[in-house]
Amino acid sequence: MPALLLIAHGSRDPRHAATVAALVEEVRAQRPGTEVATAYLDHCAPRIPQVVGRLADAVAVPLLLNRAFHAKHDIPAALRAAGSRLPVADVLGPSPLLLAALDRRLAEAGLAVGSPAARARTGVVLAAAGSSDPAADAATRAVAAEWRRTRRWAAVEVAYASAAGPRVPDALAALRTAGAERTAVAPYLLAPGLLPDRIAAAAEDADLVADVLGPSPELAALLLHRYDQARHTADTTPALTA
């Protein structure tokens, strides 16, 4: 069984690495016996070259929500530079498990997520990091649309903490214009840090603000699902011959 190499971005904020470590423990709890290793692209240790050399067999699983620059360029380049040809799993989003994790965090913040009546009165801001890649932002908007469709929220608006707008206050205003009686902000982010703090500060007018996705059981299950998909694909891909 190949190891699961979780590749995270990294951050100067120590809460980021602590969250990644907690998520790894959740993955291990869900899949005992599977070796799980962690490597970072930036800011934190160990880096990819320090880890891949000691793994005889592994699948790289990016801890990324969208297929933007880090997934398309940084991770493949870092693996190539390390002399690695490990199979790389797909990014996490979109997935129903991410919607379930968002539901969990809103429920923990005090929203009656299980009540259809409460959902019908509530407008939600899906607050993401934002990207210069139009495809990544389009993927986030698609997640918001699916979340509204499946949960029947009063409305769901997307806001970004960086890159182009709209910002959280703009999205909250749009929810109220759409008739939402209550407003909630759900960070579509994996770990604490600068951008989640920026979102929370901008959400002071919301009725409630959820936590980041963090080491939720749903996120751990999704990482394992992406690992399994990539592992099975690697097992069934014919070897290239000269």
Side-chain angles (χ1 to χ4, degrees):
M1 180 77 69
L4 189 162
L5 174 58
L6 182 66
I7 299 182
H9 181 267
S11 170
R12 293 185 180 88
D13 190 319
R15 295 174 296 171
H16 178 91
T19 299
V20 172
L23 180 59
V24 166
E25 289 308 308
E26 179 65 27
V27 170
R28 288 175 175 148
Q30 291 190 22
R31 188 73 62 86
T34 298
E35 181 182 3
V36 184
T38 305
Y40 292 92
L41 279 171
D42 202 2
H43 302 304
C44 301
R47 300 292 179 86
I48 289 173
Q50 297 172 282
V51 179
V52 296
R54 64 176 176 80
L55 296 174
D57 186 19
V59 172
V61 183
L63 187 60
L64 298 170
L65 292 171
N66 285 332
R67 189 165 178 75
F69 190 82
H70 295 313
K72 293 177 180 178
H73 302 285
D74 288 347
I75 288 177
L79 288 169
R80 285 195 303 270
S84 171
R85 299 181 64 183
L86 294 180
V88 181
D90 200 0
V91 294
L92 298 175
S95 168
L97 285 167
L98 287 174
L99 299 184
L102 289 165
D103 290 344
R104 173 186 292 274
R105 295 307 184 217
L106 283 174
E108 291 170 350
L111 185 61
V113 173
S115 165
R119 295 197 304 271
R121 293 193 299 269
T122 304
V124 184
V125 176
L126 186 68
S131 173
S132 58
D133 187 327
D137 286 343
T140 300
R141 292 193 298 271
V143 168
E146 180 68 4
W147 201 22
R148 181 181 185 183
R149 185 188 69 80
T150 56
R151 304 318 192 253
R152 299 189 181 277
W153 300 109
V156 177
E157 294 286 338
V158 173
Y160 300 112
S162 64
R167 297 289 190 249
V168 170
D170 304 320
L172 287 170
L175 291 177
R176 296 186 181 104
T177 299
E181 297 175 22
R182 294 190 73 199
T183 57
V185 175
Y188 191 51
L189 295 162
L190 294 163
L194 174 65
L195 297 184
D197 288 348
R198 185 180 296 170
I199 287 168
E204 58 183 2
D205 290 337
D207 292 304
L208 59 89
V209 181
D211 201 356
V212 294
L213 296 170
S216 66
E218 296 85 0
L219 189 56
L222 180 52
L223 286 167
L224 285 165
H225 179 60
R226 295 292 186 239
Y227 162 80
D228 289 338
Q229 287 178 317
R231 178 166 59 89
H232 293 149
T233 299
D235 287 343
T236 57
T237 300
L240 295 177
T241 57

